Amino acid sequence: MPHPQRYHSSERGSRGSYCEHYRSRKQATKNSSDRTRRRRREDSYHVRRRCSRTFSRSSSQHSSRKAKSVEDDAEGHLIYHVGDWLQERYEIVSTLGKGTFGRVVQCVDHRRGGARVALKIIKNVEKYKEAARLEINVLEKINEKDPGKNLCVQMFDWFDYHGHMCISLELLGLSTFDFLKDNNHLPYPIHQVHHMAFQLCQAVKFLHDNKLTHTDLKPENILFVDSDYELTYNLEKKRHERSVKSTAVRVGDFGSATFDHEHHRTIVSTRHYRAPEVILELGWSQPCDVWSIGCIIFEYYVGFTLFQTHDNRQHLATMERILGPIPSRMIRKTRKQKYFYRGRLDWDENTSAGRYVRENCKPLRQYLTSEAEEDHQLFDLIESMLEYEPAQRLTLGEALQHPFFARLWAEPPNKLWDSSQDISP
């Protein structure tokens, strides 16, 4: 029964009660509709959100994969991660080295049966890309002439990857410099110097025979095929010392190699291994490589750099301290007369730089660590490679016939030698 107050005697009250009832029902209906719409909107929102998250995740993954293949850092190096694939072929395993030119990574080459290779990824900067193109050209010529048999690093493949020149090379061990550095600059034993120097002469002679000059020979660019080592403890020095098990090496980094017919840049070679004719801007050819090899062999024998300097004038003063006076013909011919005065090197031994050279450098033969015949033969070879005049410098064909290498001809290959190599010059 209706509540008595709902139907009041006054018309206004009665109409007001009806209207209130109507409005109440209408509001209830509206509230119900609002709740339904709100639920639908919420359901739709959650569906859209789930879809958005799924799409976003998928898009992010796709974008991430894409970014890994094409994104460069501020310097132009390719940004990569372990596990990335390049060209649907090379799977990145680790970083082997970093330089101004780019990065070298170890990869699994899935088209070569899962073989491990070193992939050189050049920075996306035109001057480095151009150097890489020149290096590829040289490596292709080397492969054409005699692939894998002349102690030069072998190239398997090359490609352009989103502006990065990439070169696939045989995977080798540490450089002879890195091994020396990691071994506290302990010199290589002379029997190891024998084999390493012999191979170096062989490899570069091959280049010279094919009208090429390497121009950047240094211990960093000579790599062990396998740098595994034996460890012994030195009681006197109270430290562990490494001895590389195999001295088989390869010559690498042909980014500066120059054919005889190509333009010869004025300055070549890394400072410490730079020949005097390069410093004096007298022109250069294959003999500048021979000078570098002389410096490298010395470094293997004593454990440190022969010409430790960063200045042309001091470099020339160091040469004179170690090797004697620069020939007057070279002095007369050079355009770099600012380094000379009245036909002699303009150098004051009483300056701090002069005292440094006098106190830290000495005539070449005084660096001998033994009076054994083979040590003297080694220094005779080095002296012949460090002749000031390029025309008087030993050729590598002559170097291979030097008495220092005589026992390599007489003895059969052993565990130190790479028995697969034909050692005839």
Side-chain angles (χ1 to χ4, degrees):
M1 185 174 179
H3 196 280
Q5 291 180 342
R6 182 163 296 182
Y7 298 103
H8 197 269
S9 56
S10 75
E11 184 178 352
R12 181 178 175 185
S14 182
R15 189 164 56 240
S17 296
Y18 174 78
C19 289
E20 287 173 2
H21 176 66
Y22 175 78
R23 283 197 298 271
S24 176
R25 288 185 63 187
K26 188 174 181 181
Q27 184 65 40
T29 303
K30 183 176 183 297
N31 289 344
S32 175
S33 298
D34 287 346
R35 282 195 300 271
T36 301
R37 281 194 296 271
R38 190 161 55 247
R39 280 198 303 270
R40 286 175 179 168
R41 280 198 304 270
E42 287 173 355
D43 289 346
S44 175
Y45 168 76
H46 288 303
V47 169
R48 286 197 309 273
R49 191 175 178 190
R50 283 195 300 271
C51 289
S52 175
R53 281 201 303 266
T54 303
F55 175 78
S56 176
R57 189 160 52 242
S58 173
S59 176
S60 173
Q61 288 171 351
H62 176 73
S63 174
S64 175
R65 285 196 298 270
K66 185 176 180 182
K68 288 178 184 177
S69 65
V70 298
E71 189 177 353
D72 297 346
D73 68 14
E75 295 181 351
H77 295 286
L78 177 69
I79 295 175
Y80 61 84
H81 303 85
V82 170
D84 285 356
W85 284 54
L86 279 67
Q87 299 291 92
E88 299 182 350
R89 172 176 179 176
Y90 297 101
E91 181 182 357
I92 297 176
V93 174
S94 63
T95 299
L96 296 173
K98 300 179 180 181
T100 54
F101 66 88
R103 304 285 186 257
V104 181
V105 296
Q106 181 181 172
C107 292
V108 175
D109 185 347
H110 289 277
R111 292 189 196 170
R112 296 184 68 245
R116 297 290 177 106
V117 299
L119 190 68
K120 194 172 181 178
I121 306 174
I122 305 300
K123 192 157 62 174
N124 192 358
V125 174
E126 189 54 41
K127 68 175 182 178
Y128 296 111
K129 289 161 69 173
E130 180 58 28
R133 294 184 194 104
L134 295 173
E135 181 173 16
I136 289 165
N137 182 47
V138 170
L139 288 165
E140 285 181 333
K141 297 295 183 186
I142 291 171
N143 282 354
E144 285 173 16
K145 293 292 182 181
D146 206 353
K149 294 183 180 179
N150 285 282
L151 306 174
C152 297
V153 174
Q154 188 177 6
M155 179 179 71
F156 300 127
D157 179 35
W158 68 270
F159 54 93
D160 187 324
Y161 188 76
H162 299 284
H164 296 270
M165 299 300 294
C166 297
I167 309 173
S168 172
L169 303 159
E170 62 178 314
L171 182 64
L172 300 168
L174 289 175
S175 75
T176 56
F177 172 79
D178 285 333
F179 191 93
L180 192 67
K181 182 183 67 176
D182 293 347
N183 203 22
N184 297 305
H185 292 274
L186 181 72
Y188 292 99
I190 194 164
H191 68 277
Q192 293 188 338
V193 176
H194 258 118
H195 187 228
M196 293 158 67
F198 186 77
Q199 293 171 93
L200 182 52
C201 290
Q202 273 190 299
V204 182
K205 179 182 181 295
F206 168 76
L207 299 178
H208 291 183
D209 290 346
N210 286 282
K211 304 185 185 307
L212 267 168
T213 307
H214 188 286
T215 80
D216 196 21
L217 292 169
K218 54 186 175 180
E220 291 91 327
N221 291 338
I222 317 300
L223 296 94
F224 286 114
V225 173
D226 183 351
S227 51
D228 194 14
Y229 57 86
E230 294 172 343
L231 199 63
T232 56
Y233 188 74
N234 187 321
L235 285 171
E236 182 182 347
K237 296 182 178 179
K238 296 181 180 180
R239 68 183 186 189
H240 283 95
E241 296 176 346
R242 302 175 181 183
S243 178
V244 69
K245 291 181 179 179
S246 171
T247 46
V249 296
R250 298 287 184 270
V251 174
D253 198 343
F254 296 91
S256 301
T258 306
F259 286 98
D260 289 356
H261 67 273
E262 291 178 324
H263 169 71
H264 285 37
R265 292 179 294 130
T266 303
I267 302 298
V268 293
S269 304
T270 297
R271 160 65 68 188
H272 310 314
Y273 311 93
R274 187 173 294 160
E277 66 268 26
V278 178
I279 296 172
L280 297 175
E281 298 185 13
L282 295 171
W284 55 266
S285 59
Q286 278 89 2
C288 77
D289 280 347
V290 179
W291 178 280
S292 300
I293 292 173
C295 298
I296 292 167
I297 296 172
F298 176 91
E299 194 167 334
Y300 289 163
Y301 178 80
V302 298
F304 54 83
T305 310
L306 178 58
F307 300 111
Q308 187 63 54
T309 178
H310 298 281
D311 171 79
N312 278 343
R313 194 185 303 270
Q314 185 175 345
H315 198 163
L316 294 170
T318 304
M319 287 180 182
E320 289 205 330
R321 175 73 174 157
I322 295 170
L323 303 171
I326 297 168
S328 57
R329 189 204 69 83
M330 296 181 77
I331 295 174
R332 287 195 305 270
K333 194 176 177 182
T334 182
R335 292 178 299 173
K336 295 292 182 178
Q337 290 298 321
K338 64 180 181 179
Y339 299 136
F340 302 95
Y341 179 71
R342 293 184 177 178
R344 299 181 63 181
L345 183 66
D346 186 10
W347 181 252
D348 185 355
E349 290 191 352
N350 295 317
T351 62
S352 58
R355 287 192 297 274
Y356 174 84
V357 170
R358 188 174 66 252
E359 292 168 6
N360 292 277
C361 303
K362 54 191 178 182
L364 185 65
R365 290 276 177 166
Q366 291 185 26
Y367 289 100
L368 277 162
T369 59
S370 167
E371 291 300 321
E373 182 183 6
E374 62 181 348
D375 292 66
H376 279 279
Q377 289 175 343
L378 169 61
F379 272 68
D380 182 73
L381 174 64
I382 292 172
E383 281 177 343
S384 299
M385 291 179 162
L386 298 181
E387 282 282 353
Y388 281 115
E389 292 278 7
Q392 296 175 16
R393 212 169 289 158
L394 204 65
T395 68
L396 294 178
E398 293 166 342
L400 288 166
Q401 297 295 334
H402 191 276
F404 178 66
F405 295 127
R407 76 182 185 90
L408 270 71
W409 306 111
E411 295 179 4
N414 59 31
K415 68 177 182 178
L416 290 176
W417 313 146
D418 182 356
S419 59
S420 67
Q421 294 298 324
D422 175 9
I423 62 172
S424 57

